[in-house]
Amino acid sequence: MSVQTKLQPGTGTGTLTSRLADTLRRAIAAGQFATGGKLPSEAQLSEAHGVSRTVVREAIAALRADRLVEARQGAGVFVLDAPPTTGPASLFLQDVDPVRVSSMIELLELRTAVEVEAAGLAALRRSPAQEEVIIERHYAVRACLNAGVSSVEADFALHLAIAEATNNPRFREFLAIIGRNVIPRGALRNDDSEQDQSAYIAMLDNEHDDIVIAISNGDEEGAREAMRRHLRGSQARYRTLLREQRGPVR
């Protein structure tokens, strides 16, 4: 199978994952990959775009979250029909404004109710392969944080991997409906000192580490508590911003 797309040269701080995901989205939208058709293999995409297989897996996870593709065990990754513009899913959270601090707090509270349980179930039900993906995505977030580039795609992929490890498809579908806007973007302010930013990055990495270790150890309650601390910590950081800023976080 020939690969008809090519990763575009990077601009700004976009990660390889986000750039590859955008390239594949454009290819799907342009009809280069037909509905029901199979995407090139992980190895083919890796070679064609000059990226690692981990980057390819993260990009495919982003497409799956957008309901653009689905993975079929033993067969590959296939393009889905375009998401419907009407129906219950399109009406869900339709008035949420992801650039407003108050909307992010609302989403974080909703996520806490769902993802705390997802973490506990992932600790109980994950397969070795799913555990490996969770760990890989944790390291991908860490790499973005250390490089000082956007970690939104990688962070979303980590939470999606945890949802998938519940082996209950409704958790993944919930995150897919909300989309990557569930990942906080404004927790670092432009006027924060370099020391403040470094402390925030270390704290975020430690929170993820606690979640991943608990899941890997099969610690159901530990995983729930680590996810609860992580999401409630994000809520607290956004409430601080809400008190300090009058306008939306952009």
Side-chain angles (χ1 to χ4, degrees):
M1 178 185 299
S2 62
V3 180
Q4 305 175 58
T5 59
K6 192 68 178 176
L7 186 63
Q8 298 300 310
T11 57
T13 58
T15 65
L16 286 174
T17 297
S18 62
R19 286 164 49 201
L20 178 56
D22 287 343
T23 297
L24 295 174
R25 285 189 193 98
R26 287 193 294 269
I28 292 171
Q32 292 183 26
F33 301 120
T35 298
K38 182 179 178 181
L39 289 187
S41 69
E42 185 179 290
Q44 288 174 316
L45 288 172
S46 176
E47 181 178 0
H49 297 288
V51 297
S52 69
R53 292 195 178 195
T54 297
V55 169
V56 173
R57 285 193 290 271
E58 301 290 351
I60 295 299
L63 298 185
R64 291 178 65 187
D66 290 341
R67 304 297 295 159
L68 293 176
V69 301
E70 69 174 1
R72 300 175 188 168
Q73 189 170 6
V77 178
F78 293 82
V79 178
L80 296 173
D81 289 326
T85 56
T86 59
S90 66
L91 297 176
F92 184 53
L93 303 177
Q94 63 178 347
D95 62 342
V96 169
D97 182 355
V99 302
R100 294 199 64 83
V101 175
S102 57
S103 283
M104 290 307 302
I105 292 172
E106 292 168 353
L107 285 176
L108 284 165
E109 288 180 345
L110 180 59
R111 284 182 60 198
T112 300
V114 174
E115 290 198 70
V116 167
E117 180 64 14
L121 291 176
L124 291 177
R125 299 177 178 176
R126 83 242 178 259
S127 69
Q130 289 169 333
E131 183 176 340
E132 182 180 27
V133 171
I134 289 171
I135 293 171
E136 286 180 352
R137 293 182 182 171
H138 173 38
Y139 287 141
V141 176
R142 178 178 290 171
C144 291
L145 293 173
N146 290 339
V149 300
S150 172
S151 61
V152 170
E153 292 277 0
D155 200 325
F156 183 60
L158 170 60
H159 284 270
L160 192 66
I162 292 170
E164 289 178 338
T166 66
N167 288 297
N168 177 338
R170 306 311 169 206
F171 283 95
R172 179 184 59 78
E173 289 169 5
F174 170 81
L175 286 185
I177 289 171
I178 295 179
R180 64 183 53 76
N181 284 326
V182 299
I183 303 301
R185 299 167 185 261
L188 288 178
R189 293 160 295 195
N190 292 332
D191 59 350
D192 278 344
S193 69
E194 183 176 343
Q195 182 177 3
D196 288 339
Q197 293 184 22
S198 296
Y200 170 77
I201 288 170
M203 177 177 61
L204 188 63
D205 183 62
N206 287 337
E207 289 176 356
H208 283 160
D209 208 44
D210 288 344
I211 296 167
V212 172
I213 289 174
I215 291 174
S216 182
N217 288 339
D219 182 357
E220 177 185 1
E221 291 307 315
R224 285 195 177 100
E225 182 56 32
M227 182 66 80
R228 184 180 293 109
R229 285 197 306 270
H230 174 52
L231 295 177
R232 286 186 175 173
S234 294
Q235 291 178 40
R237 290 187 284 274
Y238 267 94
R239 285 194 165 89
T240 298
L241 285 178
L242 190 61
R243 291 192 295 268
E244 295 177 354
Q245 298 183 3
R246 295 181 180 179
V249 175
R250 299 190 184 276

